[in-house]
Amino acid sequence: EADIYQTPRYLVIGTGKKITLECSQTMGHDKMYWYQQDPGMELHLIHYSYGVNSTEKGDLSSESTVSRIRTEHFPLTLESARPSHTSQYLCASSEFRGTDTQYFGPGTRLTVL
Amino acid sequence: AQTVTQSQPEMSVQEAETVTLSCTYDTSESDYYLFWYKQPPSRQMILVIRQEAYKQQNATENRFSVNFQKAAKSFSLKISDSQLGDAAMYFCAYIYRDDKIIFGKGTRLHILP
């Protein structure tokens, strides 16, 4: 199994709350990604980073924000959660060469009531 | 723009039989990488197999093999001797250099006992 971790695994929260989803990897990978995925559906890239202090928005517009202060850490924050944010969030990482395999975390299943 | 198409949203196969999942892609590049990822129910996404476009030989990994047809832009996955543990969503993916990886919409594979 890849050394990439996500916490929490499950989160149920009320509308309007601020949340941070954590993602950490111990492989020293420069590239990290956040995907949003409804159960059994396709992956949507929402954020990615090619290294420290580098963050970019993905293909799917998202109200979340990310930061990359340390190589191993790539947290995602929602300032005010809404029911439309209910989904699964997958974090992944890969080496800087873009052709390398992506390693995925176990995901965080978020439910906003 | 590059695209990845998986035309079979869902497939079923009898245990111990062979099944082939289809994937086509569109690109004007010549040197790229293709992947098949597996996402079991409620479990982590993992790499199944990877193919470098410059290699003519089809990649194999135990019971998993690909049929890579570069001119036809086709990259199918064959699973031999299907097992219950093969039940999952399978995603085909493409990447060119440091561009973002592009995933297909996935094929859900059911294994019938």
Side-chain angles (χ1 to χ4, degrees):
Chain A
E1 298 244 332
D3 297 324
I4 181 164
Y5 309 98
Q6 290 186 244
T7 56
R9 294 290 309 278
Y10 302 91
L11 179 63
V12 181
I13 203 162
T15 296
K17 299 291 186 183
K18 178 180 179 179
I19 60 169
T20 296
L21 308 185
E22 301 288 349
C23 176
S24 295
Q25 49 94 6
T26 59
M27 298 171 282
H29 286 169
D30 289 304
K31 288 187 164 184
M32 296 189 75
Y33 313 81
W34 276 105
Y35 294 91
Q36 185 175 339
Q37 182 191 32
D38 291 330
M41 303 297 285
E42 63 189 297
L43 295 161
H44 295 285
L45 179 67
I46 52 174
H47 297 284
Y48 61 100
S49 168
Y50 284 3
V52 171
N53 295 325
S54 153
T55 61
E56 300 287 345
K57 288 189 179 295
D59 304 316
L60 180 68
S61 176
S62 173
E63 294 165 346
S64 58
T65 59
V66 293
S67 62
R68 190 86 183 276
I69 298 172
R70 303 198 316 266
T71 297
E72 63 272 22
H73 196 212
F74 191 42
L76 180 146
T77 299
L78 274 167
E79 291 292 333
S80 179
R82 297 209 300 266
S84 60
H85 296 138
T86 294
S87 189
Q88 175 166 250
Y89 293 83
L90 297 177
C91 181
S93 72
S94 66
E95 292 185 6
F96 186 74
R97 292 191 332 264
T99 52
D100 276 332
T101 302
Q102 292 207 351
Y103 294 91
F104 284 83
T108 294
R109 185 149 291 178
L110 173 66
T111 301
V112 183
L113 303 176
Chain B
Q2 293 91 350
T3 58
V4 175
T5 302
Q6 293 180 248
S7 59
Q8 306 147 316
E10 211 157 343
M11 294 188 71
S12 296
V13 63
Q14 208 76 35
E15 194 176 4
E17 297 294 310
T18 295
V19 64
T20 298
L21 279 57
S22 301
C23 174
T24 58
Y25 58 94
D26 188 23
T27 183
S28 58
E29 307 298 341
S30 60
D31 185 15
Y32 48 86
Y33 287 69
L34 296 163
F35 307 84
W36 278 99
Y37 283 89
K38 171 186 177 181
Q39 187 180 36
S42 301
R43 288 179 58 191
Q44 216 149 330
M45 179 105 74
I46 57 171
L47 177 72
V48 176
I49 203 163
R50 160 183 153 156
Q51 174 81 43
E52 291 91 341
Y54 65 85
K55 289 187 177 179
Q56 292 185 331
Q57 187 174 6
N58 289 326
T60 63
E61 195 69 46
N62 301 316
R63 296 182 295 107
F64 298 86
S65 61
V66 297
N67 183 6
F68 174 46
Q69 302 287 331
K70 191 172 185 179
K73 298 179 183 174
S74 171
F75 183 60
S76 59
L77 175 70
K78 185 172 84 170
I79 306 174
S80 303
D81 185 25
S82 298
Q83 300 175 1
L84 294 177
D86 295 333
M89 282 286 286
Y90 287 83
F91 292 94
C92 179
Y94 159 100
I95 194 167
Y96 169 68
R97 293 189 179 172
D98 287 332
D99 288 348
K100 298 187 296 288
I101 193 168
I102 299 170
F103 286 92
K105 293 189 175 184
T107 295
R108 180 175 299 283
L109 179 64
H110 302 277
I111 310 296
L112 307 174

